[in-house]
Amino acid sequence: MSNATVITEAQLQAMRAKVYQHEATPQQTERLRLKALSTQRTARWPNTLQARRDAKEQARRDRLAAEEAERVLIDEQDAEERTELRRRQIESANKMLYDDTDRPKALHSKMLLSDVMHERVAQMDYAQQIKALKRQQDDAFLLQQAARLKAQEEAELAQLQKAKRKALEQRDAQMRQLDDLKARILAEREASRVEGDCIRQQAMEEAEELKQKEAAMRARAKQANLETKKANEILLAFKKLDAQRELEADAAIAAYAAKKAELAEERKRREAEREAAKEARRQAMHDYMEHNFLQAKAASDARLARDIQEAEDRAEANAAEEARLRQEELESIDRSRKRQMEIKAAMAQARKSQEAQFAKDWLDRLNQLKAEEVAEAQARLEHNKQYIAFLQHQIDTKVARAARQKSQEDEEDASRRYMIQEDDETFQKYADVCIDEWRRQGKDTKPMELYMDTLEKYGNSVTRRI
């Protein structure tokens, strides 16, 4: 029921009216006439619903026609573009195929050689320019070096002259100093002489005065001796007091030294205790590491022994398993050999039976073959007759085919010569264009011209050699 189509009763009546042709009644005929008259009258009215429907339908048809025309135009443009693209692709493929042939490849190699020669000439020119620039740079460097050396020589000469002038000035200053020194020495000598006279006079006066002073000094000395004696007594008392103070200071120093020695001993004792503690910690660490090493070594030896024992156990198990498998394999081989012998005996018996049956069948077959040979000889005779007739027909056919093939080969040869001539003309035009382009670029075209001359002289064989 899901695929059933539901229609209305009016649609069903319309379908029935189309299928069954009933005779129209007068009322129906009048109604149809009036409807046709009304339709004819209202067809010219633009503001009716039907007219608007017709206008909308016409606008829709015009729009669809315009869209279809635009699509057709676009399709034509696309077709033209595809055709142009296909033409360009075909031309590019043909160009690639043509460039892949011998003569264009050889011409391209000569063009490449011309490019290489042109590039080589440019490189040589560039190298000459570089050499010229280097030569100019060397000349400029030599000139600069010469100018620098000349400037240095002038500077050194100026320094020498300056040093010479300075030495001369120094010598003049020294001479002036010597003259001044001589004059000052002479003046000092004269002054010393005058001063000596004055001193002599003064010495005589001072000697007299000294005698007077010595008498006064002797008197003062007596008084000083008395004062000195008193001072010595005071000094002895002071020295005794100073000695007592020194004794007290020595005692204090000795007590300080003893305290310092005691502190030094205490420091040494504490240092010894610290060293002993360090040594004890070091020994404990050493004992701990030795203990751990011995434990690890014992564990490693135990593990190694366990691994060795497990390896030996596995080896023994593998050897036992291999022995068992070898025994099973030998038993299987023995069983297989016995089975093969039984099969060979059965096959020999069957072969004897088959040979007896074969001999009987072969005798029957020989008799049958003899009869068939007689029939085949008769049939072969008929076949040979038909074969001879067929061979004669083939000969006639081959002769006619050879004549047609000869005519076709002549036509193909003429067409091939025309194609070769056209290809030669095309290649000549292509080569002329390439040579003109290379000549326009200022490159050497001698390799291409030599190749074209050689090609014109020897033909396509030179292309194969190249």
Side-chain angles (χ1 to χ4, degrees):
M1 293 298 291
S2 60
N3 295 327
T5 302
V6 180
I7 60 176
T8 62
E9 185 177 0
Q11 290 174 346
L12 180 60
Q13 294 296 332
M15 292 169 64
R16 287 177 178 175
K18 290 180 179 179
V19 174
Y20 300 103
Q21 296 294 333
H22 297 288
E23 186 176 355
T25 60
Q27 292 84 1
Q28 292 176 350
T29 303
E30 182 63 19
R31 189 164 56 252
L32 291 174
R33 186 185 67 80
L34 292 175
K35 180 174 177 56
L37 182 62
S38 175
T39 302
Q40 184 180 3
R41 184 179 300 170
T42 59
R44 294 188 294 271
W45 296 352
N47 55 354
T48 61
L49 293 175
Q50 186 63 32
R52 291 180 180 177
R53 292 194 192 96
D54 294 340
K56 289 181 180 179
E57 182 65 22
Q58 184 63 32
R60 187 180 69 83
R61 286 196 295 269
D62 294 340
R63 179 173 54 81
L64 292 176
E67 291 177 356
E68 181 65 22
E70 185 176 359
R71 284 195 293 270
V72 169
L73 181 60
I74 293 172
D75 292 339
E76 290 177 354
Q77 292 176 356
D78 292 340
E80 291 177 358
E81 290 178 358
R82 287 194 298 271
T83 303
E84 181 64 21
L85 179 60
R86 184 171 179 275
R87 185 187 63 78
R88 287 199 300 269
Q89 291 176 349
I90 292 172
E91 288 181 356
S92 177
N94 291 332
K95 180 67 167 56
M96 292 173 64
L97 292 174
Y98 182 73
D99 290 342
D100 197 39
T101 56
D102 292 336
R103 289 190 299 180
K105 287 169 68 176
L107 179 62
H108 292 165
S109 67
K110 300 304 178 183
M111 293 170 68
L112 181 60
L113 176 60
S114 178
D115 284 339
V116 171
M117 291 172 63
H118 182 73
E119 184 66 22
R120 180 58 182 164
V121 170
Q123 290 178 355
M124 292 173 66
D125 294 339
Y126 180 73
Q128 292 296 331
Q129 293 177 5
I130 294 296
K131 287 181 180 180
L133 288 175
K134 286 185 177 180
R135 194 179 300 110
Q136 292 177 3
Q137 290 177 357
D138 294 339
D139 295 340
F141 177 74
L142 291 175
L143 292 175
Q144 292 177 1
Q145 191 72 14
R148 193 179 297 111
L149 291 174
K150 185 177 179 181
Q152 290 178 357
E153 290 176 356
E154 292 176 354
E156 290 177 357
L157 183 61
Q159 289 179 358
L160 289 174
Q161 292 177 356
K162 183 178 179 181
K164 186 176 180 180
R165 287 194 302 271
K166 188 175 181 181
L168 292 174
E169 292 175 356
Q170 187 175 3
R171 186 194 64 182
D172 296 338
Q174 290 176 354
M175 292 300 293
R176 287 193 299 271
Q177 289 177 0
L178 286 174
D179 295 338
D180 295 338
L181 182 60
K182 288 179 181 180
R184 189 167 58 253
I185 290 172
L186 292 174
E188 288 178 356
R189 286 179 180 177
E190 182 66 23
S192 296
R193 187 181 62 78
V194 174
E195 187 179 1
D197 295 340
C198 293
I199 290 172
R200 189 179 301 111
Q201 183 66 29
Q202 187 177 0
M204 292 174 67
E205 293 175 356
E206 287 179 356
E208 184 65 28
E209 186 180 357
L210 184 60
K211 288 179 180 180
Q212 295 176 1
K213 286 182 179 181
E214 284 179 356
M217 287 179 62
R218 281 194 294 270
R220 286 195 300 273
K222 288 181 180 181
Q223 184 66 29
N225 287 331
L226 294 175
E227 293 177 356
T228 301
K229 186 177 181 180
K230 292 180 181 179
N232 287 333
E233 292 176 356
I234 296 171
L235 182 60
L236 287 174
F238 181 76
K239 284 183 177 181
K240 288 180 180 180
L241 182 60
D242 192 16
Q244 184 67 30
R245 290 177 180 177
E246 287 180 358
L247 291 174
E248 293 177 356
D250 292 337
I253 290 170
Y256 176 74
K259 183 66 175 178
K260 187 175 181 181
E262 184 180 356
L263 291 174
E265 290 295 329
E266 181 67 20
R267 189 182 296 109
K268 289 180 180 180
R269 185 181 63 77
R270 291 180 181 177
E271 187 68 26
E273 290 178 356
R274 283 197 297 271
E275 289 295 330
K278 286 184 180 179
E279 185 64 27
R281 287 196 300 273
R282 190 180 301 110
Q283 185 64 31
M285 182 63 70
H286 179 270
D287 295 339
Y288 177 72
M289 292 177 66
E290 185 178 4
H291 178 68
N292 288 341
F293 174 74
L294 291 175
Q295 286 183 351
K297 187 175 183 301
S300 177
D301 293 340
R303 186 167 56 254
L304 181 61
R306 186 171 61 255
D307 293 341
I308 292 172
Q309 185 63 35
E310 290 178 356
E312 291 177 354
D313 295 340
R314 285 197 300 272
E316 291 178 358
N318 291 334
E321 182 66 19
E322 289 179 358
R324 185 183 64 78
L325 293 175
R326 193 179 301 109
Q327 184 64 29
E328 291 180 356
E329 186 177 0
L330 291 174
E331 292 176 357
S332 176
I333 291 171
D334 190 21
R335 289 194 302 271
S336 177
R337 188 181 295 112
K338 289 180 181 180
R339 180 62 180 166
Q340 288 179 0
M341 291 176 65
E342 292 175 357
I343 292 172
K344 285 182 179 179
M347 290 175 64
Q349 185 65 31
R351 188 164 53 252
K352 289 180 181 179
S353 301
Q354 289 177 359
E355 287 177 354
Q357 183 66 31
F358 179 74
K360 181 178 178 302
D361 294 340
W362 183 250
L363 183 60
D364 297 337
R365 180 61 178 167
L366 286 176
N367 296 328
Q368 182 181 359
L369 289 174
K370 287 180 180 179
E372 290 178 355
E373 284 179 358
V374 174
E376 285 179 359
Q378 186 67 30
R380 193 179 300 112
L381 181 61
E382 292 294 331
H383 176 70
N384 289 336
K385 291 180 181 179
Q386 295 176 1
Y387 182 67
I388 291 170
F390 177 71
L391 288 178
Q392 186 63 38
H393 176 70
Q394 279 189 339
I395 291 170
D396 297 338
T397 304
K398 285 184 177 180
V399 170
R401 187 184 299 116
R404 289 194 302 272
Q405 187 174 0
K406 182 65 171 62
S407 177
Q408 185 177 0
E409 287 178 355
D410 293 339
E411 293 177 358
E412 289 179 354
D413 189 22
S415 176
R416 193 179 300 110
R417 285 197 298 271
Y418 176 74
M419 291 175 65
I420 290 172
Q421 183 179 0
E422 186 178 2
D423 184 63
D424 292 340
E425 292 177 356
T426 302
F427 177 72
Q428 184 64 38
K429 292 179 181 179
Y430 178 70
D432 292 339
V433 171
C434 292
I435 291 172
D436 292 339
E437 179 64 21
W438 253 234
R439 188 179 292 113
R440 186 182 62 79
Q441 294 180 6
K443 299 179 181 179
D444 189 7
T445 60
K446 187 176 293 182
M448 292 182 284
E449 293 175 354
L450 290 175
Y451 170 69
M452 294 302 296
D453 294 339
T454 306
L455 188 64
E456 184 178 358
K457 184 177 181 181
Y458 295 103
N460 291 330
S461 60
V462 69
T463 304
R464 289 190 292 271
R465 288 198 299 272
I466 292 174

